[in-house]
Amino acid sequence: MLAEMRIQGLGVIEEAALELHPGFTVVTGETGAGKTMVVTGLHLLSGGRSDASKVRAGAAKAIVEGRFTDIAGEQALRILSDAGADADEDGSVIAVRSVGADGRSRAHLGGRSVPVGVLGDLSEQILAVHGQNDQLRLLRPAEQRAVLDRFAGESVAEPLAAYRDVRREWLAVSRELTQRRARSRELAQQADLLRHGLAEIDAVEPRPGEDTELTEQVKRLAAVDELRDAATAAQLAVAGSAEGDPDLPGALGLLAEARRRLSAAEDPVLRDFEPRLSEASVLLSEVGSELASYLGSLDADPERLETILARQAELKKLTRKYAADIDGVLAWAEDARARLAGMDTSEEALEALAAQRDALADELATQARRVSEARRAAAEVLAERITAELAGLAMGQAAIEVTVNSREVDPAESTALTVDGRTVSAGPDGVDEVELLLRAHAKAPALPVHKAASGGELSRVMLATEVVLAHADTVQTLVFDEVDVGVGGRAAVEIGRRLARLARTHQVLVVTHLPQVAAFADRHLVVDKGTSDGVTSSGVRTLDGDERVTELARMLAGLDDTETGRAHAEELLRAAEEFTTASATSADSGGRSGKTKRRR
């Protein structure tokens, strides 16, 4: 929850500190005193858009700091961990947002500088701000569908996730089928070229590295005479003349003479050289034998050379067309076969792809039906609960209907899907359109809320919706910004009661101008406006005892200085306290856990 918030240099607020109650905190003040700056600060703390015009005149920057305690939830804790946020000794985490007079914004979380979006991600898990702009937003059909899904929870979330998975696959297969049909002629031409190239390569049957191997063989066959002369001269130098010419003894003969002389020497040192010459003689004998074998293999073979040259010509035809060498040609062939497999435009391939698309469409229709059924079931409950809330808000004859219908479309649309014989639009959120309707009384027609409700009634409908949704909300802190505009009298008292009940399970912060609402709060904060040296500034203070009576009397009709006004304010406080006590006792007797009791 949000335990404390500090504001500095924001609008008319020079500096203020708000200590918030775990249950119900109310913020009041004269018109123009700066109550809205409290909500503006919360929006900034929630990662909202910064605006330099909100920075107090003469201030270098506006700063909003919030201290959050008892943060729970796997997602919220993961955001803190990923941001490297450090908690204080008491486990609380400090979030800071600053906006400079030049419009530049900075954010910090747990002592670490973070992108503003991180504050937004965290606030989605722990803080929800409901204001008059949210009322207008909730009148949009897409938002009304989101409201219903949020209220339904997992009963809609689970089939909707399955629907989205199937829809992605269905769209992918449908696009592929459309592309193949539209490009069938182009693909057929490409396929013919690929098949022709593969036929040419398969006819030659090249081997990896074959072109390099043939080049070496050609070089050897073309230079056979030079190679024979070189090998013959080398063999003669090693082994000597085959006729035993004493003038050409060769290296082996010279070694033999050297060994004979050394072995006959009287000096043992000289005799020790003889074994080493013996080893050299063995090595030279092996080289001589290999040279003889090489000479035997150098027989000129014009036919073999002609065959190799012809094979080289075949390979060069391939390397001119498909790659720089034979290894590249073989790689091209492998890629061509893979491409051919993916551009099968035969009737059989298209029929198989169409059958896959139709099977996915059937599965998608099944999943869409599951989503719609879950939404209709949740819509009935949501309508009943909002209607029940309206009964306590001086709209006892009014009834809410939440309709779930499918939007029919032209079958030619890319997302057209047949569900139960109707062609509907398969959007990312299902096939349904959700609309909130209001029946003003039993005989009145059900009309869209914005057409059937007056300004005050619309505020009550939206507040009833927010109260019902709050019970399905996982966030710990709920903020209501003057959602009671246009409401008064008995309805205002009922609003206060509902917010007080809501505060038993959530931390509730309300900015209001209604004394009937403020009387039910656990903590009452007032925004005061003053002038010093011609400069207007506002601050926030906590009201206790007699101060609270005075503020409520002022809110009633500016009667803070009359006995009548104060008596009325005291009566409001007594009535609120009696309701709170009775409500808490009822909760205890109903067997509720400690978590549902109103926190003091």
Side-chain angles (χ1 to χ4, degrees), residues 84-143:
D86 295 325
D88 286 350
E89 293 180 356
D90 60 356
S92 63
V93 176
I94 305 296
V96 181
R97 180 79 182 278
S98 64
V99 181
D102 57 359
R104 304 176 82 176
S105 171
R106 289 181 175 81
H108 293 79
L109 182 62
R112 301 296 181 93
S113 178
V114 297
V116 172
V118 173
L119 292 186
D121 294 340
L122 179 64
S123 70
E124 287 182 3
Q125 306 301 318
I126 62 177
L127 180 70
V129 180
H130 304 295
Q132 296 180 62
N133 290 334
D134 298 277
Q135 292 183 15
L136 298 175
R137 177 176 54 82
L138 287 173
L139 295 179
R140 304 169 189 163
E143 293 295 336

Side-chain angles (χ1 to χ4, degrees), residues 279-314:
E279 294 175 1
S281 178
V282 172
L283 179 60
L284 283 173
S285 296
E286 292 175 355
V287 172
S289 298
E290 291 176 6
L291 286 170
S293 176
Y294 177 81
L295 284 168
S297 67
L298 278 178
D299 293 338
D301 189 351
E303 293 183 0
R304 172 62 180 162
L305 179 59
E306 185 178 344
T307 300
I308 292 175
L309 291 174
R311 179 63 176 175
Q312 273 191 321
E314 289 182 329

